[in-house]
Amino acid sequence: MTVYALDALDLAALLCSRVCHDVISPVGAIVNGLEVLEDEKDAEMRGFALDLIKKSAHTASARLQFCRLAFGAAGSAGASIDIGDAEKVARGLFAGEKTQIDWRAPRVLMPKNQVKLILNLCLIAAAAIPRGGVITVIVDGDAERSPRFSVTAKGANAKLASHAPALLAGTPEGAVDAHGIQAFYTGLVARAVEMRLTVATDSDFVAIEAIAEFAEARDLAAAAV
């Protein structure tokens, strides 16, 4: 199977577009709120504007903190990240949203690309339940030698985008655009940490599992004995 190769500059540009898409809405709301404060004299409207600014600032901050871990170069090359930090930014991202997060992971240090993988899987899960629901994150196995990640989205009419499996596998049909870059990037990260992604769907849930390839090979060998 030939994996699609995306030019490094195109990858950087598309990821930047993805991050900007996430933060432009709350930042725009802050600007609108400030314009109301500048022109409005009514106390009630000014209070509404201040509330809008406060909520939008919290949203923008939460999204930027999440993106810093999910896409950015948090730490130096080869650095480990406390998975508790990943839980914190994930909960911050979904705070006040229709989607809740059920985080079931030990608080350990993990290689940063494994942490990126977990957070990106959370984004894919959230996109599968636009009406809201519950995202369950499970991390088990040996964190250093044979980790296993499971991210499940459960909600009404849960559905994975039709092009997502191919993007995760690195075999998209046609060019990768700004709409597909996040799933494509998730696949890149999974292959970088030598983990294989599997997808299962039903009428009310989407589940994505990441298994260390060497651990999978060991399990198959044990089963054959």
Side-chain angles (χ1 to χ4, degrees), residues 155-213:
N157 300 318
K159 185 178 181 180
L160 193 65
S162 60
H163 61 288
L167 288 165
L168 290 170
T171 57
E173 297 181 3
V176 179
D177 58 17
H179 295 290
I181 189 59
Q182 193 269 317
F184 181 79
Y185 175 74
T186 303
L188 285 177
V189 177
R191 291 188 289 279
V193 295
E194 299 182 332
M195 298 186 80
R196 187 172 70 88
L197 299 176
T198 59
V199 178
T201 62
D202 204 338
S203 59
D204 66 346
F205 80 86
V206 170
I208 306 175
E209 188 172 40
I211 305 173
E213 291 182 337

Side-chain angles (χ1 to χ4, degrees), residues 134-148:
V134 178
I135 295 173
T136 301
V137 178
I138 299 174
V139 176
D140 56 17
D142 188 321
E144 293 184 358
R145 297 182 63 250
S146 56
R148 293 172 184 261

Side-chain angles (χ1 to χ4, degrees), residues 77-152:
S80 294
I81 295 176
D82 187 335
I83 200 171
D85 292 338
E87 178 183 4
K88 181 179 179 181
V89 298
R91 291 193 183 281
L93 182 69
F94 297 113
E97 299 291 331
K98 295 178 292 184
T99 299
Q100 299 176 330
I101 189 159
D102 179 10
W103 192 277
R104 307 177 191 177
R107 182 146 193 178
V108 295
L109 291 175
M110 297 187 71
K112 68 177 182 180
N113 280 343
Q114 290 185 0
V115 174
K116 288 178 184 293
L117 178 58
I118 295 170
L119 294 178
N120 275 273
L121 291 177
C122 287
L123 288 178
I124 293 173
I129 47 173
R131 297 182 181 179
V134 178
I135 295 173
T136 301
V137 178
I138 299 174
V139 176
D140 56 17
D142 188 321
E144 293 184 358
R145 297 182 63 250
S146 56
R148 293 172 184 261
F149 310 147
S150 174
V151 179
T152 302

